[in-house]
Amino acid sequence: MITVEHLTRRYGSYVAVDDVSFEVRPGSVTGFLGPNGAGKSTCMRMICGLTPPSGGVARVLGGSYTDLPNPGRQVGVLLDAAAQHNGRTGREILSLGAILMGLPKSRVDEMLHLVGLNGDESKRRLRDYSLGMRQRLGIAHALLGDPKVLILDEPANGLDPAGIRWMRTLLRGFADEGGTVLLSSHLLHEIEVVADHFIVIGRGKIVANGPKSQLMAAAGTSVRSTDDMRLAGALQGAGFAVDGVGGAIRTDAEPAQVGRIALDQQIALIELKAAGSAGLEEMFLQLTAADAREGVAA
C-alpha cells in the first residue's frame, strides 16, 4: 500500500508537485501518467525519501520509506536505470545488493535468469550495457529482496517490443500475487495493457484518478454511419457532445444510446464501438495539454 496525502514540492517560486493525494492498493498495477516535467519523478522521489517534501506526507506500507527496516526487502525501487556504477558488472551490482539486504547468493542467479541476462551479459561492465539491458538489471535489483511494493519510473525506456511485453507480464503477475505496483510513464500505450488504475498528473496536479475501465468508458463511443452529418446533429440534439465528424464520430454517448438514436433517425450504422484506447489517449492529451511541451503530445 502506498498513501500520498497533500504532497507538495517547491523549488523557490516554482511548484513541481502541488497538493497531490492518492492511494495505490495491493493487488493492482497503477499507471502514473503525465507529460515530461509534469511532476511524476519528483513525486516518486518524495515517496522513496530521496527528495524532502515541502508539505504533505507519503507512506509506504503504513510508514515513511526511510523508517522501514531493510527497505529493499519490502519496497523495490527503480527510478533511474542509468544511475549505476559503470565500472561494475551486472552480477556485481546484484551481488552487492544481496549482501546489503542479507540475501543468499542464489538470489542473484534467480534474478539474472528472471530478467533474461545470460552468463556472459551478467559479466559485462555496465559501461557496455545498452539502455534496455540496464533497465532489465534495474528491474532485477528492484525485485532482488522479494518486496511487497514496486515503484518504477519509466521502466520501459530502452526495451524493445518483446522486452515491453515481458515487463508487462512480470508486473501483472507480481500484482496478481498481491503485490503493489506504482508504474510511471509519459506514454499511455506502454502501460495501458498492464495497468488497472490510472493516475494522471499535469503541471504538478492530479487531473484524473480512477480505474482504467471507468476512464475508458468516459472516453466515449466511436461510430461510423451512412449519414454522419445527420447522426451528429441528432446526437447533439439529444444533448451529447460530438467530435470528429468525417471518417468517424466520437461522442460521449454510450454505444446503446447511439444505437437508439440512429434507429430513431433510420440511419444505418457501419461501425459502433467504445472509443477504447484511442479515446483514452485523446482524453489524456486534453487533460495534460497545458503541460505538453510540444503542445499536441506529451
Side-chain angles (χ1 to χ4, degrees):
M1 170 76 91
I2 300 171
T3 305
V4 172
E5 297 177 350
H6 306 293
L7 203 60
T8 300
R9 176 63 194 185
R10 299 183 185 88
Y11 295 95
S13 61
Y14 173 66
V15 183
V17 176
D18 190 359
D19 195 26
V20 164
S21 298
F22 61 81
E23 285 188 349
V24 182
R25 296 184 176 277
S28 70
V29 177
T30 295
F32 196 25
L33 305 169
N36 290 327
K40 302 186 306 296
S41 296
T42 301
C43 191
M44 297 177 95
R45 288 180 60 84
M46 287 191 285
I47 292 172
C48 297
L50 296 174
T51 297
S54 303
V57 294
R59 299 183 181 90
V60 185
L61 298 173
S64 169
Y65 177 90
T66 55
D67 291 336
L68 292 173
N70 201 349
R73 297 288 292 268
Q74 301 179 66
V75 184
V77 177
L78 173 59
L79 297 184
D80 184 357
Q84 299 165 338
H85 196 302
N86 282 330
R88 293 187 176 132
T89 68
R91 177 174 289 276
E92 287 171 347
I93 293 289
L94 294 184
S95 295
L96 286 170
I99 291 170
L100 289 172
M101 294 181 208
L103 299 169
K105 292 181 180 179
S106 60
R107 186 66 178 167
V108 173
D109 291 315
E110 290 175 19
M111 292 300 98
L112 288 169
H113 176 74
L114 178 67
V115 302
L117 291 175
N118 62 39
D120 290 338
E121 291 171 334
S122 71
K123 296 174 184 177
R124 290 187 201 171
R125 304 291 175 186
L126 262 66
R127 66 171 64 95
D128 299 320
Y129 271 31
S130 67
L131 178 56
M133 292 172 67
R134 286 176 179 263
Q135 292 286 23
R136 288 176 179 268
L137 182 65
I139 292 172
H141 197 281
L143 291 168
L144 187 63
D146 193 21
K148 300 175 183 176
V149 175
L150 287 177
I151 300 173
L152 309 175
D153 192 7
E154 306 284 1
N157 280 355
L159 294 180
D160 58 22
I164 292 174
R165 175 177 288 186
W166 161 81
M167 183 195 70
R168 289 169 175 165
T169 302
L170 180 73
L171 297 182
R172 186 68 263 167
F174 180 88
D176 289 345
E177 292 179 2
T180 303
V181 182
L182 179 62
L183 172 65
S184 91
S185 179
H186 63 281
L187 298 174
L188 181 64
H189 63 270
E190 281 186 0
I191 57 175
E192 180 190 344
V193 174
V194 68
D196 41 31
H197 193 102
F198 286 145
I199 298 168
V200 184
I201 187 171
R203 289 192 179 274
K205 291 179 175 289
I206 300 297
V207 295
N209 185 356
K212 180 173 70 174
S213 58
Q214 176 183 318
L215 294 181
M216 291 187 76
T221 299
S222 176
V223 58
R224 292 191 302 129
S225 74
T226 56
D227 192 341
D228 284 350
M229 291 297 293
R230 192 155 63 90
L231 179 58
L235 287 166
Q236 289 174 328
F240 296 110
V242 173
D243 187 30
V245 178
I249 298 171
R250 184 169 295 129
T251 174
D252 58 358
E254 295 180 1
Q257 293 170 317
V258 175
R260 283 193 294 269
I261 290 172
L263 178 61
D264 291 341
Q265 297 296 317
Q266 295 295 292
I267 299 173
L269 297 182
I270 299 170
E271 182 180 73
L272 177 65
K273 63 180 180 179
S277 59
L280 189 59
E281 182 175 18
E282 184 65 27
M283 182 179 66
F284 167 75
L285 292 175
Q286 291 174 359
L287 287 170
T288 60
D291 202 42
R293 296 179 184 276
E294 290 77 13
V296 294

